[in-house]
Amino acid sequence: MAACAIRRGFLTVVSKYNKKHTHRILGIIEGSSGLEVKRPRLPCLACGLPNIQQMRFMSSRPEGKVLETVGVFEALKQHGKYETGQLFLHSVFGYRGIVLFPWHARIYDRDIIPPMSDSKPEPPGSHGSKEVKGRTHTYYQVLIDTRDCPHISQRSQTEAVTFLANHDDSRALYAIPGLDYVSHEDILPYNSTEQVPIQHELFERFLMFNPDKTTPAPPFSARDTLKAWQEKNHPWLELSDVHRETTENIRVTVIPFYMGMRDAQNSHVYWWRYCIRLENMGSEVVQLRERHWRIFSLSGTLETVRGRGVVGREPVLSKEQPAFQYSSHVSLQAPSGHMWGTFRIERTDGSHFDVRIPPFSLESNKDDKAPPAGYTF
């Protein structure tokens, strides 16, 4: 079921759609004793669909506790993709956003068991050696409303897109704030009559309001600036592979990106970034305590990295706050390699278990392209 998004302090609560009842909506209001969830509104008895003109997603103002109407709910797209300019709420993190453009990725889902005829026994100690067949899935490059960034900063980085510096002798990274990659099922679409419904420094540079566009197409169109930026930085923006695996109700999703090569001390150093989302699919409260990485390089080296938490945090995953998303970087002195590992998860009773990070490859097949550019204005 969809839900209204309400923010109290740094708390955002958004309920996911129930696939069996995608047209029903919940309203969340703030009661005297905390958060109160109203019962879903009943659909029309004649057609079975809701009166969507009366159903609005709500988002509170950061400085207060008053709900604010952000738009009118639209039906989910079960087939096809959302277009450039589509407004949405993120079903997991609750922020307001707008679609810039779609990507087609291959998902390698280790939760899907291959047919017996295709499966082969794994040798002892060969984690993730089984062949996993990919399937095509749609992801989107989106802008995040800057008003919502403070409310999601504890659960998701809002600078998930980074570039290497233009200087060959520098390892500095440039980050573009308020950009994200969103899966098709993460989008809760809505429409708005506002000409500038999303606050982001790139919104009016990338998109323009076009009231003459026929419905149901979004009233926002891509400017030439957005098309040029997408074309120029395509190799470093496009996500081609998505890897996913679940251990004891904790699902880990990894998306790797190649960032380019730099010369350092008479050798080549290849850089990648990877975005990771952890999701608690169960009802038990758990906390991420440690990470354990193994990084294999085509040069023949195998590196082991172990440490506390991730990006300086030890996130708690609960039913109310089920997901945490972050990005990090890795470099190799070889044009390819792969990574895998585990996250050490702690239960409330102090016991631990390890969650598998699905193995993913690091490839530099886009290295013949020009260096990233066009991200400064």
Side-chain angles (χ1 to χ4, degrees):
M1 297 180 183
C4 302
I6 183 172
R7 296 173 178 84
R8 185 179 186 183
F10 287 95
L11 175 64
T12 303
V13 178
V14 174
S15 170
K16 288 188 177 181
Y17 273 93
N18 182 324
K19 294 181 180 179
K20 295 182 180 179
H21 305 282
T22 56
H23 292 288
R24 300 172 71 184
I25 188 168
L26 287 175
I28 299 180
I29 61 175
E30 187 174 12
S32 59
S33 60
L35 293 179
E36 177 185 349
V37 181
K38 297 190 292 185
R39 293 187 180 276
R41 302 181 185 182
L42 296 178
C44 172
L45 296 178
C47 63
L49 297 178
N51 182 354
I52 59 175
Q53 294 299 321
Q54 297 179 0
M55 298 185 180
R56 286 175 166 82
F57 285 112
M58 311 293 284
S59 176
S60 69
R61 295 181 177 88
E63 68 275 8
K65 302 177 183 178
V66 180
L67 290 180
E68 176 186 3
T69 301
V70 297
V72 180
F73 167 75
E74 292 181 350
L76 294 175
K77 280 194 181 232
Q78 304 295 340
H79 305 285
K81 63 180 183 294
Y82 297 103
E83 299 181 36
T84 296
Q86 175 65 62
L87 295 166
F88 70 93
L89 290 182
H90 196 292
S91 66
V92 176
F93 299 114
Y95 63 72
R96 289 164 285 187
I98 191 166
V99 170
L100 294 181
F101 41 79
W103 296 115
H104 291 292
R106 296 288 292 176
I107 289 188
Y108 296 91
D109 197 338
R110 293 176 177 272
D111 298 338
I112 300 177
I113 302 175
M116 293 299 295
S117 58
D118 296 338
S119 62
K120 299 178 182 179
E122 296 187 46
S126 58
H127 164 64
S129 64
K130 64 183 179 182
E131 180 181 358
V132 179
K133 295 183 178 180
R135 59 182 176 87
T136 303
H137 194 65
T138 303
Y139 275 73
Y140 301 92
Q141 186 90 65
V142 306
L143 289 181
I144 303 174
D145 195 309
T146 55
R147 294 170 292 183
D148 297 336
C149 288
H151 304 289
I152 65 172
S153 61
Q154 296 301 313
R155 295 191 292 145
S156 176
Q157 289 179 334
T158 55
E159 296 180 348
V161 175
T162 52
F163 294 96
L164 283 172
N166 281 332
H167 305 292
D168 289 346
D169 59 348
S170 174
R171 293 185 178 183
L173 296 173
Y174 286 113
I176 304 179
L179 278 179
D180 198 5
Y181 294 92
V182 178
S183 176
H184 185 83
E185 62 268 18
D186 286 340
I187 286 184
L188 307 181
Y190 72 91
N191 61 58
S192 172
T193 57
E194 295 184 52
Q195 294 190 20
V196 186
I198 299 296
Q199 291 188 12
H200 191 287
E201 62 179 345
L202 299 179
F203 178 84
E204 294 185 88
R205 293 174 178 175
F206 281 171
L207 299 160
M208 58 184 170
F209 183 69
N210 184 4
D212 297 329
K213 288 186 69 176
T214 58
T215 57
F220 302 98
S221 301
R223 295 184 184 271
D224 292 339
T225 311
L226 174 60
K227 298 174 183 178
W229 184 78
Q230 178 188 6
E231 181 179 359
K232 185 175 295 185
N233 294 297
H234 184 278
W236 292 271
L237 291 172
E238 181 181 15
L239 70 172
S240 56
D241 296 335
V242 178
H243 304 265
R244 190 158 64 190
E245 185 169 1
T246 304
T247 308
E248 296 196 31
N249 289 324
I250 306 299
R251 183 166 66 187
V252 179
T253 303
V254 184
I255 308 175
F257 299 87
Y258 177 60
M259 297 179 63
M261 181 268 293
R262 290 290 180 265
D263 292 322
Q265 297 179 350
N266 298 323
S267 66
H268 296 321
V269 179
Y270 300 82
W271 285 82
W272 291 263
R273 75 176 181 271
Y274 54 91
C275 298
I276 291 185
R277 184 194 292 186
L278 294 99
E279 293 179 85
N280 187 349
M281 314 301 291
S283 58
E284 186 178 21
V285 179
V286 297
Q287 185 171 11
L288 189 155
R289 290 300 192 184
E290 297 178 6
R291 69 189 184 278
H292 181 200
W293 283 106
R294 305 199 78 183
I295 307 167
F296 176 79
S297 171
L298 186 64
S299 61
T301 62
L302 179 62
E303 182 181 1
T304 299
V305 178
R306 187 185 294 272
R308 295 285 295 183
V310 289
V311 292
R313 304 183 189 177
E314 297 181 19
V316 175
L317 304 177
S318 64
K319 196 171 183 179
E320 293 74 23
Q321 305 280 347
F324 180 79
Q325 182 172 290
Y326 75 98
S327 62
S328 190
H329 304 86
V330 63
S331 62
L332 300 177
Q333 292 185 334
S336 65
H338 58 270
M339 295 175 61
W340 69 100
T342 57
F343 291 123
R344 175 62 58 90
I345 304 295
E346 182 179 338
R347 301 183 180 94
T348 54
D349 62 3
S351 61
H352 299 82
F353 63 97
D354 288 334
V355 169
R356 292 185 296 274
I357 304 171
F360 57 96
S361 59
L362 303 170
E363 302 295 341
S364 61
N365 54 348
K366 302 182 182 70
D367 196 48
D368 56 341
K369 305 293 183 181
Y375 51 87
T376 56
F377 297 90

